[in-house]
Amino acid sequence: MARQSNLDTTKQDFLKEAYKKEGILRNKWFQGYFGSNSLPPGLGDIDMPTSSPMPVTKAAKPTLIKIKPAPATPPERPLPPAKPVEVDPNVKMSEMRPPTPETKGMIYSGLSAEGDGRKAYLVARKVKDPEEKFEYPLTSSLEVGWNIKEISKTADIKQAHYGKSRIIRDTFFAENGVM
């Protein structure tokens, strides 16, 4: 099956003329900024029309925009010291810390349909912070807010404006001078 071409001779002539005009315009710009005798050989051979679609005026060379330097990054706050973990070599290590005996006893008392039993156990485990349930952050999403309560105690946090809290704005967003 042959490929359909939507270019006829009229469209081809139009493109040829557009490319030629673009070349002429580029040469005029180059000659206006760098002089006619600085053209590379072979580029000045294009016929220049006597009437230009754009008036050529000798403008000043473009200048660089003065950009303010980015503000200095604030000094890093020291992290609170890590709590030492006591490890018993005889106990098998788990990623999740075991529940307290009271919480574990909830599983065996009552029915989940009545809000007791397994349901009460899961609700009690959900209330605990991840730092209390796990030894270390298991996923990258846990790393973002790990020990956030201890960090927020040492940081100077003000009231949130428009839903953005300082701890997120100071620690999460990139330092590029925008905020």
Side-chain angles (χ1 to χ4, degrees), residues 1-178:
M1 193 159 114
R3 204 173 127 175
Q4 291 277 11
S5 175
N6 61 354
L7 283 179
D8 57 354
T9 55
T10 309
K11 289 181 183 176
Q12 287 177 348
D13 290 341
F14 171 78
L15 287 174
K16 254 191 234 177
E17 188 176 343
Y19 294 151
K20 186 176 181 182
K21 283 183 180 179
E22 185 178 338
I24 291 170
L25 194 63
R26 285 182 182 188
N27 281 342
K28 279 190 175 185
W29 180 88
F30 190 83
Q31 288 174 354
Y33 282 101
F34 299 104
S36 59
N37 46 353
S38 62
L39 283 175
L43 286 183
D45 303 339
I46 297 176
D47 298 331
M48 298 285 199
T50 55
S51 64
S52 173
M54 286 179 40
V56 177
T57 59
K58 186 145 186 158
K61 290 186 180 181
T63 58
L64 295 176
I65 299 171
K66 294 182 179 178
I67 299 174
K68 294 179 186 176
T73 55
E76 291 188 20
R77 295 184 195 108
L79 295 176
K83 297 176 185 174
V85 179
E86 298 175 10
V87 179
D88 185 10
N90 300 329
V91 177
K92 181 182 172 188
M93 288 297 293
S94 175
E95 293 170 340
M96 183 178 267
R97 292 182 179 146
T100 61
E102 297 85 27
T103 309
K104 196 169 186 179
M106 290 180 174
I107 296 175
Y108 306 109
S109 63
L111 300 172
S112 290
E114 296 173 354
D116 295 329
R118 180 172 168 257
K119 184 174 182 179
Y121 167 78
L122 292 174
V123 168
R125 287 294 280 181
K126 184 177 76 171
V127 170
K128 284 191 168 189
D129 292 332
E131 293 89 355
E132 297 172 14
K133 288 191 280 190
F134 300 102
E135 295 289 335
Y136 55 90
L138 299 177
T139 62
S140 60
S141 61
L142 281 178
E143 288 176 8
V144 172
W146 198 258
N147 288 334
I148 195 74
K149 287 186 178 178
E150 293 176 18
I151 294 171
S152 63
K153 288 177 188 174
T154 60
D156 52 340
I157 299 175
K158 298 174 186 163
Q159 185 177 3
H161 296 284
Y162 308 110
K164 291 184 179 180
S165 66
R166 292 294 303 184
I167 190 78
I168 292 173
R169 192 167 21 165
D170 292 344
T171 60
F172 181 72
F173 293 107
E175 293 287 335
N176 60 2
V178 176

